[in-house]
Amino acid sequence: MFPAAKPAIGPAIDDGFYYDFDMDSPFTPEDLTAIEKKMSEIIKKNNPFVRKNIPKKDAIDLFKKMGEDYKVELISEIADEEMSIYEEGGFVDLCRGPHVFSTGAIKAFKLLSIAGAYWRGNEKNKMLQRIYGTAYDSKEKLKEHLDFLEEVKKRDHRKLGKELDLFSVSEDIGPGLILWHPNGAIIRKTIEDFWRDEHYKADYKLLYSPHIAKLNLWQKSGHLDFYRENMYSPMEIEGVDYELKPMNCPFHISVYKSSLRSYREFPVRYAELGTVYRYERSGVLHGLLRVRGFTQDDAHIFCREDQMEDEILNILDFTLFILKTFGFDSYDVYLSTRPEKYVGTQENWEKATNALRQALEKKGLSYQVDPGEGVFYGPKIDIKIKDSLNRYWQCSTIQVDFNNPERFDINFRGSDGKDHRPIMIHRALMGSLERFFGVLIEHYAGIFPLWLAPVQIGIITIAERHSDYALGIARSLKAEGLRVETNLENEKIGHKIREATIRKVPYLVIIGDKEIAEGKLTVRKRSGENIGPFTVEEFTGVIKSEIKNKK
């Protein structure tokens, strides 16, 4: 159908597959329809998939003759001396396999979308055309998946973010940089206030740190050696190179080093809502979920080695409490071990890994080992939360670090009067506020619980003569710290209710002649249920109780 198309790479992914093609012009939705029709014809023919193992040199010659440069490049980099290829109806492709025996085994499929993708994910390479699809062994399972995808579209945080006026991204400012609108900003403030209050209770000290630092700091921390591709180009200030911060940790270390430390004051717990900047390629930017500037709910704990396990246990408790408060009760836990590129001694890596493992086992948390997925300075625990659509999101992390205390030569005076090296633990409970907020939007489909809702109570009037009374009610509720908006427009009451419902306002107070005469409030929940009537004081009590319980 497209003789000039060069196949590149096409793996299976979690919920389907994709294939990249080198094409002079992009595929269109009409092309997908035509390709699906041809696929159905091939399925009806029940053509066999025939596997052949051939020497690497023969494979290179075969794909060179076919003009498939991408396959030749892939084969050249594979260490195996023998390659497996599959043939079907005259079509030949490089693949590790295994395959179903014949095309007739494919019962239900759908081509889903088209996207651009750089060859091997590198923006310096050619842009290819990617076709996404999925396949199931029954039409019923395919329909179930397609219905799920429709629900995902409805909950897309970018779509809801615009509809609910939560945030935006401006090309004038730059991709991956988020503008928080008033509705989104008030939710963020609520999250931050809760976060700060709970950290004070947990005996953390809050910090603020700059957005830039001398380049030498990042050299000392190891970020230039291990993280350079995710950092921005340095800027020169008075002849000295400075760098936008990709992490907060060196700043917290500097605060620690600002005075002499004794074993008696340990553990020292520093926390910061610190904004960092990382160079993410434009092709992977995605709303709030993948950005270039974001705020981490970051913390660093300095402790003695004998305190390490207890601190990890405390962090696990704190993490699960925070996640549960935001409505996440299901999660998977991973223990990530030493990667190929790392710093520090194997002995210290083993100590840190064992401390993390023992803490998980003491908490009775089931976990999976993720080999080689630790960060360059230490092993970690990652917690992936499950949302209301049963999708997993990486948010929380706990990382033990023997490296930075060595690099920055930080110490404390022990009970023996000698200097000792502290253990440093990095941790984030929500991860990035931007990403966490994006997950929250999709988890709740924009229907935030009352304590997070940007507008908690909408007050609407039946007629213009009710406006003064409505404004008085609004003042009373605002004085109690509640987020209230009034709609006094000369519109039909049904229109006002629909408008508030679209904006997902949790409670509507309707004011008319009856309410004014009786001194009571008629209240409608966003579900459509009517409750009350209440006096202003009774209604305030109901709302404040729900907010206090984080409902």
Side-chain angles (χ1 to χ4, degrees), residues 305 308 345-358 379 400 402 423:
E305 192 171 319
M308 179 165 53
T345 66
Q346 288 194 26
E347 180 187 358
N348 281 342
W349 273 84
E350 286 170 13
K351 282 183 187 176
T353 305
N354 287 336
L356 293 170
R357 181 182 289 109
Q358 287 166 15
V400 177
F402 287 92
I423 305 298

Side-chain angles (χ1 to χ4, degrees), residues 126-160:
K126 188 168 184 180
M127 174 70 78
L128 306 177
Q129 300 303 310
R130 176 171 294 180
I131 296 178
Y132 283 99
T134 193
Y136 284 85
D137 59 8
S138 72
K139 290 182 179 179
E140 291 75 20
K141 287 182 183 177
L142 175 62
K143 182 181 182 305
E144 185 179 311
H145 181 68
L146 296 178
D147 289 344
F148 165 78
L149 294 181
E150 281 303 308
E151 184 61 29
V152 169
K153 281 183 186 176
K154 289 179 192 173
R155 291 171 179 254
D156 190 317
H157 73 280
R158 295 166 298 178
K159 172 177 172 287
L160 289 171

Side-chain angles (χ1 to χ4, degrees), residues 242-260:
Y242 282 74
E243 177 73 66
L244 280 168
K245 66 172 176 178
M247 305 279 187
N248 299 301
C249 16
F251 297 94
H252 294 195
I253 293 171
S254 293
V255 174
Y256 176 91
K257 288 189 71 173
S258 64
S259 64
L260 296 174

